[in-house]
Amino acid sequence: MSTSPAPRGPLAGIRILDLTSVILGPYATMLLGDMGAEVIKVESPADGGDIMRKPGAWPEAAGPGMGPLYMMYNKNKKSVALDLKRREDQEACIALARTCDVVCSNMRMDTAARLKMDYDSLKARLPDLIYIHAAGFGADGPYAGRPAYDDLIQGVSGGADILPRVDGNPAPRYLPTLAADKTVGLFMVQAVLAALFHKQRTGEGQFVEVPMFECYTHFVMHENLYGHVYDPAPAGTGFGYGRIHNPDRRPYQSKDGWIGIVPYSDRNWADFFALAGRPELNADPKFSSYEARMRNIQELYSMMDAMVATRTNADWEKVLSEKAIPFAPINRFDDLMEDPHLKAVGFFQRHAHPDGYTWVDMKHPVNYAASPASTRLSPPRLGQDTAEVLREAGVELPKAAE
């Protein structure tokens, strides 16, 4: 499948100046690009561009700096190489900002100010500017200005306390995915959309801070505040929703594989107990109502292994479907590209890169009936669009960028 310039998504006509790097910001601007925004990614030629260009291996045809993480987070963007330490390149970047609806940055504020790319410096010349700044920590707190990465935010937010509450190993651990970066990236997308809507209604630009610590703690603690929703917490309650902090909440082994099964309603549980050959459990006062099951959820889930082991995966899928009991296959990474649902919706997409190799991305997961999202541009080589973008903006190409 080749990359196509059409269709245009719901943000067609919106232009984003992307001063972000690594994962959080590029994930946000990539999603905005999927939705039709024109994203102009500014990268430093002196540093070899976004550092995520460097990890991993890539085909010889791709050339240097086209690593797999960069590829995943930087489609639907144009790359402009500017050295923002040089005054003439700063001026070129400000001229680009004039042509854009939003500036997105995840530079540290002191760095942005030194480069004249902070909100105050730009607003003096662009009074209706929308500036979305992803920071490690909110500017009003004592951690303001500290550097922040996914690992650090998972730790300080309580995210590293999730696994110890489940498996009995007391050592704090990070989730083995860039959970904080990607979650806060979604908050950043939300911030862009809300600020655009506010400007449409009022004509006002604004500065929007998206602090990683606060955003990810907000994400982690919504169900985990639990008893501490009340002050003081009721006796016998504490942090953490018991159903999910249960070591037996996991995939279950059937006769020939693994399967996820989540009976939820009273009817679901009655039917499941019958299918598993334990109909008497439905009359047990410990399991006969939602409230009772929640009080005894650890015991209930600990019994699931033996009950699920009574049938094969195929048999479970058949009888669970007939009774409308929620279930799902357990996919390994290797299984995902052959998953029948993902194949039917065209989730993994193959594209011909202009440089002569095939690359794979994932379809934008939200379906807009009237203005579908799409992959229109392959991830760019460092600076490949510098001349075109600057000339379109009426900017003389800085000599160092030629």
Side-chain angles (χ1 to χ4, degrees), residues 131-331:
Y131 190 106
I132 312 295
H133 173 62
F137 305 91
D140 294 334
Y143 301 165
R146 290 188 185 181
Y149 293 93
D150 183 274
D151 297 15
L152 304 180
I153 296 302
Q154 285 202 43
V156 73
S157 66
D161 192 34
I162 293 173
L163 293 177
R165 290 173 172 271
V166 175
D167 64 10
N169 177 351
R173 275 156 290 148
Y174 306 131
L175 299 178
T177 181
L178 298 173
D181 275 341
K182 291 181 288 184
T183 299
V184 181
L186 294 174
F187 277 94
M188 194 173 193
V189 170
Q190 172 185 294
V192 169
L193 300 180
L196 284 168
F197 184 59
H198 174 79
K199 185 173 181 179
Q200 182 184 55
R201 291 196 303 176
T202 67
E204 295 176 340
Q206 62 179 301
F207 175 79
V208 182
E209 182 184 60
V210 183
M212 292 181 73
F213 180 25
E214 290 92 318
C215 287
Y216 195 60
T217 304
H218 186 277
F219 175 81
V220 167
M221 293 305 293
H222 249 78
E223 75 279 9
N224 287 317
L225 201 58
Y226 208 54
H228 289 270
V229 165
Y230 310 102
D231 186 15
T237 68
F239 292 106
Y241 176 28
R243 189 183 79 81
I244 63 170
H245 286 187
N246 185 333
D248 293 302
R249 175 188 177 251
R250 54 188 170 78
Y252 299 110
Q253 194 163 12
S254 69
K255 277 186 175 180
D256 62 352
W258 297 86
I259 190 169
I261 303 177
V262 184
Y264 210 79
S265 67
D266 290 348
R267 180 74 263 163
N268 284 165
W269 278 108
D271 288 339
F272 175 75
F273 290 144
L275 292 171
R278 298 293 306 276
E280 75 282 1
L281 292 176
N282 194 48
D284 189 320
K286 292 190 294 186
F287 310 125
S288 59
S289 69
Y290 178 84
E291 294 80 6
R293 287 190 298 274
M294 289 303 100
R295 286 193 298 271
N296 297 284
I297 196 67
Q298 190 153 354
E299 181 181 355
L300 177 58
Y301 276 8
S302 71
M303 299 162 61
M304 291 286 286
D305 269 331
M307 290 190 281
V308 174
T310 59
R311 295 175 182 266
T312 65
N313 268 14
D315 191 18
W316 273 123
E317 291 182 11
K318 177 178 183 297
V319 296
L320 293 170
S321 294
E322 290 170 352
K323 295 295 185 180
I325 298 172
F327 75 94
I330 301 301
N331 282 332

